[in-house]
Amino acid sequence: FSSTFGVMNDARVPAPGSTVILNEISPRLVPLRSPSLGGPTDVAELFNPTGVAIDVTGWIVSVGTGIEDVLAGVVPPGGFLAFPLAPATFADDAEVAYLFDDLETRVDQVAWTLGPDVEEGLCYARCPDGAGPNLGYEFITTGGGVTWFLQTCTLGLTNGGACDPVGVMPSSWGAIKSRFGE
């Protein structure tokens, strides 16, 4: 968030999964059409796994390329809050999303690089709600096929304990490792 040329970096230590997290993402080249959120938009849904309401005013969702959205609102305990983001926030080269709290501490990170392609009405979602890992840098390290799925968008609602994944092909650990050896 600030330049530190010539001196030690001043970034805060990440606190992955410590508070509100990204629960569902609609990364669209052609934005998701969501009448409840006012029309075409990219969307990020937050989930609060704690027992207290958390004010996310001033929090930031970023794709790491200088594109960011500042959030406002309160996520109820055990509840959800979906945010319309700026159109094309998730452009085709932005396949990762970071969530920073109002003190600029990174509290979550999800990615869909190497994941199944998104179609209209589908979102990447954690299942069950709030499941980690919380420092994913591509589909598999975000829990792809285990806790991170492409499924029908359920913005503002639970993803359930038994997700209905779309386009996820089961594979052995050897098959997964071989993909990264190419």
Side-chain angles (χ1 to χ4, degrees):
F1 289 96
S2 60
S3 298
T4 57
F5 294 110
V7 297
M8 185 185 317
N9 291 338
D10 66 352
R12 295 185 174 275
V13 175
S18 62
T19 183
V20 170
I21 61 167
L22 294 161
N23 198 54
E24 201 166 334
I25 295 284
S26 171
R28 308 253 339 127
L29 296 177
V30 177
L32 173 72
R33 299 180 196 300
S34 176
S36 64
L37 294 173
T41 187
D42 290 348
V43 179
E45 177 196 68
L46 302 181
F47 173 66
N48 179 358
T50 73
V52 297
I54 297 179
D55 186 350
V56 294
T57 300
W59 289 39
I60 296 169
V61 172
S62 172
V63 297
T65 59
I67 297 173
E68 57 188 43
D69 287 270
V70 179
L71 309 178
V74 175
V75 187
F80 309 91
L81 191 56
F83 288 94
L85 303 175
T89 294
F90 301 120
D92 92 337
D93 61 345
E95 295 183 333
V96 63
Y98 307 94
L99 179 64
F100 293 90
D101 67 15
D102 57 342
L103 299 174
E104 299 176 351
T105 301
R106 184 168 33 121
V107 296
D108 199 16
Q109 176 178 322
V110 295
W112 47 94
T113 306
L114 304 174
D117 292 332
V118 177
E119 297 174 14
E120 182 94 21
L122 298 180
C123 291
Y124 285 104
R126 287 188 157 138
C127 185
D129 295 302
N134 297 95
L135 283 178
Y137 55 89
E138 46 77 29
F139 183 72
I140 297 297
T141 60
T142 303
V146 179
T147 58
W148 183 241
F149 297 97
L150 184 60
Q151 68 174 33
T152 302
C153 296
T154 59
L155 300 168
L157 304 171
T158 183
N159 295 336
C163 288
D164 184 20
V166 175
V168 175
M169 298 186 313
S171 60
S172 70
W173 177 241
I176 293 168
K177 286 189 337 187
S178 70
R179 283 194 317 194
F180 291 99
E182 297 176 347

